[in-house]
């Protein structure tokens, strides 16, 4: 049953060669977003996984920008709040920031300093883990706010880039894996 649901999601991810730079095989989730049945299946699978794994979650934190497409519907399903982690210069008020490198560049992530309280339990969500640079930076932001990261959760993991190793002791879960 889960295999069938996973297949429905996998069928809606398409590859593009040499985007956004030569040598990168880009995994595009646009067809998944465009198909309401497949998108619902995606959120069902993520909800089932989190409900089975964690008795208490305070927030879903999503990464700019594709994590914003998955985080809010998932948070709504679970009945918890959503916290945005944004690229530099987009959030008002006091912020924490961390710079990082990713599969095709460098960037800086920020979170509002009052986004979560010390000890609150957070799931960090994104569409994809490649080198793990982005997710690692998000974990560092949560550490600065003294939140507890229960899990880093993505739809797609690019196994060859070994991003999950960078996350060290933080639990990690991916729905679909690609070489
Ligand atoms: C992509 C993707 C992840 C990140 C993964 O985002 O959505 O956030 O790269 O790469 P990494 O594991 O090597 O860090 P991108 O920075 O391209 O921004 P976008 O979501 O705004 O397109
Ligand atoms: N972000 C980093 N690497 C990526 C890839 N190969 N496809 C889609 N998004 C990405």
């Amino acid at each position: 049953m889960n295999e069938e649901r996973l297949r429905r999601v996998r069928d809606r991810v398409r590859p593009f060669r040499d985007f956004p730079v030569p040598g990168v095989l880009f995994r595009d989730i646009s067809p998944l977003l465009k198909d309401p049945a497949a998108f619902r299946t995606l959120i069902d699978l993520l909800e089932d996984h989190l409900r089975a794994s964690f008795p208490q979650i305070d927030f879903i934190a999503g990464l700019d920008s594709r994590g914003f497409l998955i985080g809010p519907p998932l948070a709504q399903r679970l009945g918890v709040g959503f916290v945005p982690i944004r690229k530099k210069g987009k959030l008002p008020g006091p912020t924490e920031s961390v710079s990082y490198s990713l599969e095709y560049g460098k960037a800086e992530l920020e979170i509002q300093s009052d986004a979560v309280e010390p000890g609150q339990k957070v799931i960090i969500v994104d569409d994809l883990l490649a080198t793990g640079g982005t997710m690692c930076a998000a974990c560092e932001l949560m550490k600065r706010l003294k939140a507890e990261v229960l899990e880093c959760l993505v739809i797609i993991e690019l196994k060859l880039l070994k991003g999950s190793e960078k996350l060290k002791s933080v639990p990690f879960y991916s729905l679909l894996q690609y070489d």
Side-chain angles (χ1 to χ4, degrees):
M1 179 56 184
N2 252 10
E3 285 310 308
E4 170 58 22
R5 294 198 297 169
L6 281 170
R7 192 192 55 74
R8 258 184 267 148
V9 175
R10 185 182 275 272
D11 282 352
R12 292 289 178 269
V13 178
R14 63 182 171 178
F16 278 100
R17 279 193 194 288
D18 299 322
F19 182 87
V21 294
V24 171
L25 182 62
F26 191 86
R27 303 286 175 180
D28 179 28
I29 60 165
S30 302
L32 184 54
L33 301 169
K34 202 172 161 186
D35 178 340
F39 189 68
R40 178 186 295 272
T41 300
L42 167 71
I43 302 300
D44 288 345
L45 284 163
L46 296 177
E47 179 189 7
D48 290 353
H49 162 69
L50 290 178
R51 284 195 189 281
S53 308
F54 304 105
Q56 196 208 324
I57 296 169
D58 293 313
F59 290 107
I60 300 290
L63 306 191
D64 192 348
S65 63
R66 284 173 259 157
F68 295 174
L69 303 169
I70 302 140
L74 183 57
Q76 281 286 306
R77 282 284 191 87
L78 295 167
V80 304
F82 175 78
V83 169
I85 295 181
R86 297 217 59 181
K87 301 244 170 78
K88 191 178 171 57
K90 302 287 184 184
L91 290 169
T95 56
E96 294 287 335
S97 69
V98 173
S99 59
Y100 64 100
S101 50
L102 70 167
E103 194 183 10
Y104 39 71
K106 268 186 144 285
E108 206 162 329
L109 279 186
E110 285 185 339
I111 191 168
Q112 285 174 316
S113 304
D114 63 356
V116 295
E117 301 293 322
Q120 285 191 307
K121 297 177 191 305
V122 178
I123 304 287
I124 306 176
V125 178
D126 204 356
D127 67 325
L128 180 144
L129 188 92
T131 65
T134 309
M135 195 55 95
C136 215
C139 287
E140 173 59 27
L141 289 174
M142 287 300 170
K143 195 170 156 192
R144 296 229 192 127
L145 299 189
K146 300 185 169 57
E148 182 186 348
V149 179
L150 297 176
E151 185 172 79
C152 298
L153 173 60
V154 298
I155 309 172
I156 297 163
E157 176 184 7
L158 306 183
K159 296 290 282 187
L160 287 179
L161 293 171
K162 297 185 173 22
S164 65
E165 289 177 13
K166 206 177 264 173
L167 301 175
K168 300 192 184 103
S169 58
V170 183
F172 171 74
Y173 183 84
S174 59
L175 216 50
L176 306 174
Q177 297 79 33
Y178 295 83
D179 283 338

